[in-house]
Amino acid sequence: MIRLIAMDMDGTLLNSRKKISPRTRKALLRAEEAGIRLILASGRPTTGLMRFAEELEMNRYHGLLVSYNGSKVMDCQTGQVLFNQAMTVEEGKAVLEHMKKFPRVRPMIDHGKYMYVNDVYDQMICLDGKDFNVLQYESRGNGYLLCEAEDLAAFADFPLNKILTTADPEYLQDHYREMMEPFEDRLNCTFTSRFYFEFTAQGIDKARALETVLAPMGYGREDLMAFGDGHNDASMLAWAGHSVAMANGVPELKARAHEVTASLDEDGVGLVVERLLE
């Protein structure tokens, strides 16, 4: 029996306009009313999940927010942080120092209500042949004010849950191995989209966060239905009792999921939840 529904955000729960469709929202609200607990599990920071949690009324039903790809878990109703594993200050500084060797890579870190970058005017990457304002996309999408720190490595004297880097997709593909090489045995290093490559603490992923938090609550993997579309969702879908990949998902995920649903713009999540409630 499914008692929990965990969903990735971008490419999964959110459509291409970065919204939850009315049909999917209605299905998820019905699921909560039926006693199913919702979990938003994303590479986004916690602040970038809050407005969607409010839209789904997750504060009424003890919904959970799994942010930073599993580095942090929070109870929506109480605001209690149930799990938090950041990189050490030394690890964060080392990554940011290493990124200086890649002039076309832009690191981003968050602290409080701010997202810090080296240069707030260096905003554009090339995405599918067009200019894309990635700093505006990331800061506005997650509710941050944009702030500049000329030397992020020197500035970051606090633990970081995540270091997000961005560049033209082709450049990241050509250089990500060099970017991760000093850290591949010490940190998690992964793509979360074609234009995002990020660093988190070693051993961090969505499945570990879920298992760590859910087991003491009396939930097992058989209680969980999980939805995803990307490589960073693979651990969560592998752990879930029932895994659902989006039609727009990466081939590897679709090949291993229990089922493939419709795409992000075709109510892929909502269709499966409606069927579950029948």
Side-chain angles (χ1 to χ4, degrees):
M1 179 180 175
I2 298 301
R3 303 164 62 201
L4 302 155
I5 298 175
M7 299 159 286
D8 172 56
M9 298 297 290
D10 300 280
T12 302
L13 177 60
L14 304 183
N15 60 26
S16 57
R17 296 182 295 123
K18 300 300 178 185
K19 296 182 182 294
I20 304 172
S21 74
R23 181 175 182 176
T24 294
R25 178 178 181 272
K26 182 179 179 180
L28 291 171
L29 289 171
R30 283 180 56 211
E32 288 181 298
E33 291 166 1
I36 297 174
R37 199 167 183 177
L38 301 186
I39 303 169
L40 304 184
S42 174
R44 287 176 177 239
T46 309
T47 56
L49 300 178
M50 293 299 294
R51 72 178 186 275
F52 301 110
E54 292 170 3
E55 190 176 341
L56 294 171
E57 301 180 21
M58 291 170 61
N59 61 311
R60 294 178 57 195
Y61 300 99
H62 276 295
L64 301 177
L65 302 181
V66 178
S67 53
Y68 301 108
N69 269 324
S71 177
K72 189 174 184 178
V73 183
M74 190 183 83
D75 185 313
C76 290
Q77 189 171 71
T78 65
Q80 181 183 3
V81 175
L82 306 174
F83 176 78
N84 187 33
Q85 185 175 339
M87 291 176 283
T88 66
V89 173
E90 293 73 22
E91 288 169 340
K93 284 182 174 292
V95 171
L96 293 167
E97 193 65 40
H98 183 58
M99 289 306 104
K100 294 176 183 178
K101 299 178 182 178
F102 306 93
R104 291 175 61 184
V105 170
R106 302 158 178 85
M108 294 176 260
I109 61 174
D110 66 275
H111 189 52
K113 62 182 181 180
Y114 297 100
M115 187 182 87
Y116 289 89
V117 297
N118 291 123
D119 183 352
V120 296
Y121 296 105
D122 183 19
Q123 301 170 345
M124 299 294 181
I125 62 171
C126 182
L127 190 61
D128 299 324
K130 300 178 181 179
D131 283 342
F132 175 63
N133 191 328
V134 68
L135 298 193
Q136 181 184 61
Y137 173 82
E138 183 65 19
S139 61
R140 293 295 179 262
N142 290 304
Y144 285 125
L145 297 174
L146 192 59
C147 197
E148 186 172 279
E150 186 176 355
D151 187 339
L152 288 176
F155 170 75
D157 58 355
F158 43 87
L160 295 169
N161 284 89
K162 181 175 79 170
I163 295 173
L164 181 61
T165 72
T166 187
D168 298 349
E170 297 79 9
Y171 185 87
L172 282 184
Q173 279 295 329
D174 290 342
H175 293 88
Y176 80 91
R177 291 180 182 86
E178 302 165 63
M179 292 164 59
M180 69 184 285
E181 192 274 331
F183 311 105
E184 56 186 331
D185 296 326
R186 301 161 51 195
L187 299 173
N188 273 12
C189 317
T190 188
F191 277 97
T192 51
S193 82
R194 291 183 297 146
F195 54 92
Y196 281 154
F197 190 78
E198 66 182 49
F199 301 83
T200 53
Q202 188 175 46
I204 287 299
D205 60 37
K206 295 180 182 182
R208 181 186 174 192
L210 289 171
E211 186 172 15
T212 300
V213 168
L214 295 178
M217 297 178 180
Y219 295 108
R221 58 193 302 174
E222 68 278 2
D223 298 310
L224 177 68
M225 174 183 283
F227 293 83
D229 74 299
H231 295 292
N232 61 321
D233 301 316
S235 68
M236 177 172 71
L237 267 64
W239 189 77
H242 188 80
S243 56
V244 186
M246 306 298 290
N248 52 278
V250 296
E252 300 92 328
L253 202 70
K254 292 192 284 187
R256 296 175 183 172
H258 290 114
E259 67 172 297
V260 177
T261 186
S263 75
L264 75 168
D265 284 324
E266 298 170 319
D267 289 296
V269 172
L271 291 171
V272 176
V273 175
E274 286 174 355
R275 189 188 71 215
L276 175 67
L277 296 173
E278 289 175 356

